[in-house]
Amino acid sequence: MSTEAPDPASNQGQPAPRIDARIKVTGEARYAADMPLGNVAYGVLVTSDIARGSVKALHLQAARKVPGVLDIVSYGDIGDLKPPDFGAGAYTSLGPLHARDVRHDGQIMALVVAETFQAAEEAASRVTADYAPQRPSAELDSEGTETVPAVGHAARLKKDPSHGDFQAAFDAAPVQIDSTYRTPTQTHNPMELYSTTAVWNDSRLTIYEPTQTVYGLRAEVARQLGMDLSDVRVVCPYVGGAFGSKGAVTPRTAIVALAAKRLNRPVRCVVSRAQGFTTQPYRAPTRQRVRLGARHDGKIVAFSHEGWELTSRVDDYVVAGTETTTRMYAYGAVASRVNIVRADRQTPSYMRSPPELPYMFGLECALDELAYELQLDPIELRRINDTAVDPIEGKKFSSRQLMQCYDHAAREFGWSGRNAAPGSMRDGDWRIGMGCATAVYPTHIGAAAARVRLSSSGRVRVQCASHEIGTGVRTVAAQMAAEQLGVELSAVTVEMGDSELPPAPVSGGSNSTASVCSVVLMACRQIQTRLFDGITRGGKGPLAGRDPATLRLVKGAVTAEGVSQPLTEAFDGLGSAMIEEYAEFVPEGAPPDAVRKLYAGHSTLVGGPKGNVVKFAFGAEFVEVRIHARTHEIRVPRLVGTFAAGRIMNPRTARSQLMGGMIWGMASALLESTELDARTARTVNRDLQEYYLAVNADTPDVRIAMLPEVDPAVNPAGVKGIGELGDVGTNAAVANAIYHATGRRIRTLPIRLEDLLS
């Protein structure tokens, strides 16, 4: 084994290489915009140059004169096309071509279609508009915004979590922290650009689009176009990065489908990197007020977390991270409130660890401030306030190894060698800082369906319309099938990313491994039952007459107590060449009709704080920063994380997910920020030259450890989910380390060297 493929601990699978690794690195894997189709026309979007106002006139004459232009779809061309349905699959309710009102920067005004991409791009650049502009509001603190409580306005948040009398407990606390924290707008920039390819075959529509929900995309586009679900197919075998950006349907898809129908030929639209900043959703900026009241011994007696999140004028979107932060420690009295701030921006949506990454930043920085105020080690402060029960409702955690994660990561990091005094550690011209923070993510799981086939030759086929978004779900699904059916991993073929396969939930909320592996496990056990019953009750081989419960599938044979029968002989005795089983999995707490809803395009995720127990995955993250004493350049030479997340199906892919998460978390602390011109509410840095992402040189040493953990309460597979766990807390750990290095408490992200100059 190696660092990249860690030795599996108990309750962990083998670190098998990804089954699709070769075709990905050789370019053989087909992504949505790679699908070879004949007679394709190319579409380019035309977007607005203002953020608020209306379009008085759109001038298309010059664009139509470009050789090769086939059509332009704009205002008045959409017929009966319905606007998107916010919250039911679409990220926004704004139909950009339904009215000439402009609600945000870069709103779609037209789609130009031509014989070549170059002609379409040239024609799109020649479209001009006459506007009636209005003064926009860009940010949380901008004049003209509207602030309302999330409860009562945003459907997602039913109640602000609370317990006891916070104000009385806080007022009586001898030690108090009252601080405000800010996180910025962040924009998804996956390697694979957003795209839609629409193909009509008579009345049937096929869409090739990178998506995290083929069934959800199918349902929403069918609704917008007024079509039957059975007449729409969505194909997306691979996704080149998503992180939430491809989880909700955008208005683009139906517009491209409409253009393809008008032309009666395939139309492909690949969104430019710049337009990805305005025609797609993003992570909303937040402002948070955190108050902690504590005794001198470190016991927290009062905790309040209030958040303000930006949303659009048309949709009340909220992530409400207080649902997690209020349940983290034994606080005593708790109060919380989330507000939404309506501005002239497009509607935000999910971005990796949507509630937890921004809200845990506020909590974990405030805890560090409290630790310094009390002159306590930050780890010991968390140990004093560790809890086995939810402080809001008193429910037990299904499992909680938070302090075990801290102890393991602290040893690996060398925390005991830290001098606690701010500014006390140096290496030549470099100031050294060390910080830590908690990682947490709720364990989600959804209803899912799968079809599994075992042939007499020992070949296995798994079919499930989940999505390979880079997490390795194909591989872990194959591992589950191989493990249950006793075959080599190389004997398993996995088909995914097609709405004609059995449905799976949206690939978000870190639910895919748990959901898909649980339903594959069910299907494989159904195959075992049929096979073992046939062998023992109707067969004539060496296993006839035995108790089916004693049989096992091992290395291509059926075995029991030293007796073995090859699969080929077992199937011959049954008079069959293969066994195929279809399974539906409905997790505890989900409605009985969850699979029916899944076929209709609606995922039902349960878990986290809901249910009889609280289901969270935990981790501890440690960061070393180095800050040059004269230039104030910030470097992060080391990241160390230890995590406890139930059963780890594949330590290799899990390590990759957690490492990528921690790097993203570091980037959210120091690099990533979408900058807007406050006067125009327009995005300034809409390319990868000026929107900073982490690269290899930014993270030379990232160490990941996964503690063994058995948690049968979470789901049949025992999997908690890790895709979004790794990046939670890293931003706080970086900010805490910067305080340790410099004695300067910076509460606004991202932290850059100019913040340290004064």
Side-chain angles (χ1 to χ4, degrees):
M1 300 297 178
S2 66
T3 301
E4 293 74 21
D7 286 314
S10 61
N11 201 37
Q12 296 181 358
Q14 291 299 311
R18 294 170 184 252
I19 62 174
D20 49 14
R22 184 190 62 79
I23 65 171
K24 282 188 171 183
V25 299
T26 59
E28 186 179 338
R30 295 288 187 184
Y31 293 81
D34 299 330
M35 293 297 182
L37 298 166
N39 198 32
V40 175
Y42 296 87
V44 170
L45 297 173
V46 178
T47 57
S48 69
D49 296 325
I50 65 170
R52 184 180 183 185
S54 62
V55 180
K56 295 194 298 183
L58 196 64
H59 302 292
L60 307 177
Q61 299 86 345
R64 295 190 190 278
K65 292 179 181 179
V66 174
V69 169
L70 300 169
D71 195 9
I72 301 178
V73 179
S74 187
Y75 306 110
D77 298 328
I78 60 174
D80 296 329
L81 181 69
K82 297 180 181 67
D85 188 2
F86 170 69
Y91 92 87
T92 180
S93 61
L94 178 65
L97 300 184
H98 286 76
R100 292 174 176 263
D101 296 329
V102 176
R103 299 289 193 154
H104 64 82
D105 173 34
Q107 183 174 310
I108 296 172
M109 299 190 298
L111 174 71
V112 177
V113 185
E115 293 284 0
T116 65
F117 169 74
Q118 290 79 7
E121 190 175 43
E122 171 65 20
S125 71
R126 296 191 183 187
V127 176
T128 59
D130 296 334
Y131 300 106
Q134 297 177 9
R135 183 179 179 181
S137 301
E139 293 285 10
L140 289 168
D141 302 321
S142 296
E143 183 180 348
T145 58
E146 179 187 5
T147 301
V148 297
V151 173
H153 290 88
R156 185 186 174 278
L157 187 63
K158 307 298 183 185
K159 182 181 179 182
D160 287 314
S162 64
H163 176 76
D165 187 339
F166 161 77
Q167 195 62 55
F170 183 75
D171 290 343
V175 181
Q176 298 177 349
I177 298 294
D178 186 345
S179 297
T180 298
Y181 305 90
R182 292 175 180 265
T183 61
T185 299
Q186 294 178 333
T187 300
H188 306 88
N189 275 285
M191 184 180 296
E192 178 193 27
L193 294 172
Y194 308 106
S195 71
T196 300
T197 303
V199 184
W200 289 88
N201 184 4
D202 296 326
S203 62
R204 184 169 170 79
L205 170 65
T206 300
I207 298 170
Y208 301 94
E209 179 168 325
T211 176
Q212 295 168 249
T213 170
V214 290
Y215 270 81
L217 178 61
R218 180 184 76 155
E220 174 59 16
V221 172
R223 189 197 63 77
Q224 290 183 41
L225 295 172
M227 299 175 63
D228 290 335
L229 284 177
S230 58
D231 289 332
V232 181
R233 180 186 182 190
V234 176
V235 180
C236 173
Y238 296 97
V239 179
F243 314 107
S245 65
K246 297 166 184 172
V249 183
T250 71
R252 175 193 72 248
T253 306
I255 296 170
V256 175
L258 186 63
K261 190 171 188 178
R262 284 162 60 105
L263 289 171
N264 194 29
R265 64 187 286 188
V267 172
R268 174 168 291 160
C269 174
V270 178
V271 179
S272 71
R273 180 66 67 183
Q275 289 176 338
F277 280 76
T278 61
T279 64
Q280 296 285 139
Y282 57 95
R283 191 196 299 279
T286 72
R287 181 175 70 247
Q288 303 164 47
R289 183 187 183 191
V290 179
R291 287 179 286 173
L292 290 167
R295 302 193 307 241
H296 289 294
D297 63 0
K299 183 70 183 73
I300 299 172
V301 297
F303 169 61
S304 172
H305 200 168
E306 184 168 12
W308 290 261
E309 303 177 18
L310 187 137
T311 189
S312 68
R313 299 281 189 188
V314 296
D315 303 307
D316 289 335
Y317 170 81
V318 68
V319 295
T322 53
E323 291 188 296
T324 297
T325 60
T326 55
R327 292 172 166 87
M328 280 304 302
Y329 303 103
Y331 298 116
V334 179
S336 70
R337 179 184 170 95
V338 176
N339 308 280
I340 48 179
V341 181
R342 296 167 179 160
D344 299 301
R345 303 269 293 276
Q346 74 262 40
T347 305
S349 190
Y350 301 117
M351 191 173 189
R352 198 176 194 180
S353 317
E356 286 74 23
L357 185 138
Y359 277 84
M360 285 294 290
F361 169 71
L363 169 59
E364 292 298 304
C365 286
L367 284 174
D368 199 68
E369 294 194 42
L370 179 60
Y372 277 98
E373 186 69 24
L374 294 169
Q375 297 185 351
L376 269 177
D377 185 292
I379 300 175
E380 291 310 305
L381 176 62
R382 290 168 174 83
R383 195 185 311 277
I384 291 167
N385 294 284
D386 194 26
T387 179
V389 298
D390 166 18
I392 301 300
E393 300 175 83
K395 294 185 293 189
K396 291 183 178 180
F397 289 92
S398 63
S399 58
R400 180 180 170 112
Q401 292 196 84
L402 176 60
M403 295 318 302
Q404 291 91 326
C405 289
Y406 266 104
D407 292 340
H408 184 280
R411 288 193 298 271
E412 177 69 20
F413 184 78
W415 184 259
S416 61
R418 164 182 172 268
N419 185 329
S424 61
M425 299 181 68
R426 289 184 71 132
D427 181 8
D429 287 336
W430 292 91
R431 296 171 176 167
I432 300 173
M434 297 182 177
C436 64
T438 294
V440 63
Y441 199 76
T443 296
H444 297 135
I445 190 166
R451 186 180 296 111
V452 179
R453 176 189 301 172
L454 174 64
S455 69
S456 60
S457 64
R459 299 292 305 178
V460 175
R461 182 176 299 274
V462 176
Q463 295 178 317
C464 180
S466 188
H467 319 82
E468 180 51 82
I469 62 174
T471 57
V473 68
R474 284 177 185 266
T475 302
V476 296
Q479 286 183 272
M480 177 61 81
E483 176 186 294
Q484 293 297 313
L485 299 179
V487 300
E488 295 295 326
L489 185 61
S490 59
V492 183
T493 300
V494 180
E495 296 178 4
M496 287 185 169
D498 190 329
S499 62
E500 298 203 334
L501 300 174
V506 59
S507 293
S510 299
N511 87 90
S512 290
T513 297
S515 304
V516 172
C517 286
S518 290
V519 75
V520 169
L521 174 66
M522 287 181 63
C524 290
R525 287 181 175 171
Q526 290 171 197
I527 289 174
Q528 291 176 6
T529 298
R530 282 183 58 186
L531 179 62
F532 295 166
D533 284 352
I535 289 172
T536 57
R537 295 173 186 172
K540 299 179 181 179
L543 300 173
R546 291 180 178 266
D547 180 0
T550 65
L551 272 58
R552 298 288 183 272
L553 279 165
V554 180
K555 295 183 179 179
V558 185
T559 65
E561 299 174 355
V563 180
S564 179
Q565 184 179 22
L567 269 180
T568 51
E569 293 181 11
F571 273 88
D572 287 342
L574 296 176
S576 174
M578 65 91 176
I579 296 175
E580 183 175 278
E581 283 290 330
Y582 167 83
E584 294 181 351
F585 168 66
V586 178
E588 181 182 354
D593 63 347
V595 174
R596 180 183 64 79
K597 290 180 177 178
L598 196 61
Y599 272 99
H602 306 298
S603 298
T604 303
L605 299 185
V606 296
K610 300 177 177 65
N612 296 326
V613 294
V614 179
K615 302 171 183 178
F616 283 178
F618 291 98
E621 302 191 359
F622 289 75
V623 170
E624 177 187 324
V625 301
R626 294 193 170 218
I627 300 173
H628 198 276
R630 289 178 291 175
T631 66
H632 301 284
E633 177 186 4
I634 305 170
R635 290 293 182 188
V636 183
R638 289 196 300 144
L639 300 170
V640 173
T642 298
F643 304 91
R647 184 181 184 192
I648 302 299
M649 290 296 301
N650 184 320
R652 182 196 297 259
T653 57
R655 174 186 175 275
S656 177
Q657 284 293 291
L658 293 166
M659 179 174 64
M662 290 190 70
I663 293 171
W664 188 331
M666 181 277 297
S668 78
L670 300 176
L671 300 172
E672 287 198 53
S673 178
T674 304
E675 309 291 345
L676 276 86
D677 185 330
R679 301 164 300 174
T680 63
R682 302 198 67 204
T683 305
V684 176
N685 57 337
R686 55 183 76 194
D687 56 44
L688 292 183
Q689 177 175 317
E690 294 179 330
Y691 185 90
Y692 302 135
L693 298 172
V695 297
N696 289 356
D698 295 312
T699 54
D701 186 5
V702 184
R703 302 180 193 177
I704 303 295
M706 293 162 280
L707 300 184
E709 183 173 77
V710 177
D711 191 340
V714 289
N715 50 66
V719 171
K720 282 189 171 182
I722 57 172
E724 293 164 279
L725 175 64
D727 64 343
V728 178
T730 324
N731 50 13
V734 171
N736 295 339
I738 288 173
Y739 174 78
H740 178 232
T742 65
R744 295 204 52 189
R745 184 68 68 178
I746 300 173
R747 302 180 179 92
T748 297
L749 297 182
I751 302 171
R752 294 181 175 155
L753 64 84
E754 55 264 34
D755 298 310
L756 300 171
L757 287 175
S758 60

